[in-house]
Amino acid sequence: MDGVLPEIEPAFSVSRLLAASDGTVVSGEPSAVTFLWIVTTGDAHDLNCVFDAGDGSEPARREGAGCAGPQIFGHSYDPLEESFTAKLTVTDADGIELVRSRDLGSSSGDNRLELINELRSTTQKCGEAVMEPVAPLRWDERLAKAAQLHSEFMAETDDLSHSGRGGSSPAQRIVAEGYQYRYVAENVSAGYPTFIRSLAGLMGSPGHCKNIMSPLTSDFGAGYAQADSGRYRHYWTQNFASEF
């Protein structure tokens, strides 16, 4: 033996720390930023999450079950006119620590495909079903256009539905954009001001969660529309599909 100890493999994993602004970030103005991360517990227990926004504010703490799964944390930077480094530290009962950080400033924004693939890269629990990691998806402009048009229709009609303009179905809408599918699934949500919050809500619904984690899909597109008034105001559509 050469005296070199093997590396300790943590029994839990933590995705990258992602950030999405709640609107247009204006330098020098108070700016609300939404952060997302995912903690997969594995065999670990008594996890402790500590989120430090990096601006001198008091760190936020979540423990135990409150630290597991997809997590959302909102923070207001006042002002967001310089670069901050937000840091997440997750520790288990054995003292094993994983750290993730994210640099952000006035150019901070969300990336829908990145968020979807982040979820797909780790084991997720969709209701009682355990969904194993699956391959990342590709962004498809045809799916995105169909999703955008359906979000606009929902905003016009103030209605959350899979039935679209002229009674169209999700499959009909993507075919109309030139996508010849062998598999298609659609998620719709409303009332969430950001994609990241919409995604967290969908992950809490077994059927929508399974669409996100499906191994049958290879392409992804998403759309968003906002109404000036109505029940929901914010309307989101996600299209998942595979071509022949």
Side-chain angles (χ1 to χ4, degrees):
M1 296 290 291
D2 57 9
V4 177
L5 295 176
E7 292 186 6
I8 299 175
E9 290 293 335
F12 62 99
S13 63
V14 184
S15 73
R16 286 176 295 167
L17 183 67
L18 301 174
S21 62
D22 278 345
T24 302
V25 175
V26 180
S27 181
E29 295 292 334
S31 297
V33 177
T34 303
F35 293 90
L36 172 72
W37 65 87
I38 306 162
V39 179
T40 303
T41 58
D43 296 328
H45 59 92
D46 295 332
L47 293 177
N48 181 47
C49 293
V50 179
F51 176 79
D52 185 348
D55 61 352
S57 58
E58 184 70 21
R61 301 177 185 275
R62 296 178 179 176
E63 299 179 351
C67 182
Q71 300 288 320
I72 288 180
F73 180 79
H75 183 74
S76 290
Y77 290 89
D78 184 13
L80 185 54
E81 61 182 357
E82 58 184 279
S83 178
F84 294 100
T85 299
K87 184 173 73 171
L88 168 70
T89 304
V90 182
T91 311
D92 74 353
D94 298 321
I96 298 174
E97 182 178 274
L98 292 179
V99 178
R100 300 289 181 263
S101 61
R102 177 70 182 246
D103 294 329
L104 71 152
S106 60
S107 62
S108 176
D110 71 343
N111 185 314
R112 301 172 190 180
L113 180 64
E114 182 179 28
L115 290 170
I116 290 289
N117 285 333
E118 194 73 49
L119 288 168
R120 288 172 62 88
S121 69
T122 58
T123 300
Q124 302 294 334
K125 190 171 183 181
C126 300
E128 296 302 316
V130 176
M131 307 293 289
E132 298 297 329
V134 284
L137 302 180
R138 301 182 297 259
W139 181 265
D140 189 283
E141 287 295 338
R142 296 165 295 176
L143 298 182
K145 183 177 180 181
Q148 180 61 36
L149 291 174
H150 186 55
S151 290
E152 291 173 3
F153 173 74
M154 291 192 294
E156 292 170 14
T157 58
D158 190 23
D159 186 31
L160 178 65
S161 175
H162 290 291
S163 179
R165 198 177 304 276
S168 63
S169 68
Q172 290 171 328
R173 290 193 287 274
I174 68 170
V175 169
E177 300 305 327
Y179 193 102
Q180 301 302 317
Y181 70 94
R182 59 182 176 85
Y183 170 85
V184 60
E186 180 186 78
N187 285 345
V188 293
S189 63
Y192 299 98
T194 62
F195 180 80
I196 203 168
R197 292 181 179 176
S198 167
L199 185 57
L202 291 168
M203 287 299 292
S205 166
H208 296 107
C209 176
K210 289 177 181 178
N211 286 342
I212 293 169
M213 295 299 296
S214 174
L216 301 177
T217 188
S218 58
D219 300 319
F220 172 72
Y224 166 74
Q226 182 175 352
D228 293 333
S229 61
R231 290 176 294 171
Y232 304 113
R233 298 192 64 189
H234 305 278
Y235 299 85
W236 300 92
T237 304
Q238 300 176 351
N239 281 329
F240 302 87
S242 295
E243 282 190 297
F244 283 107

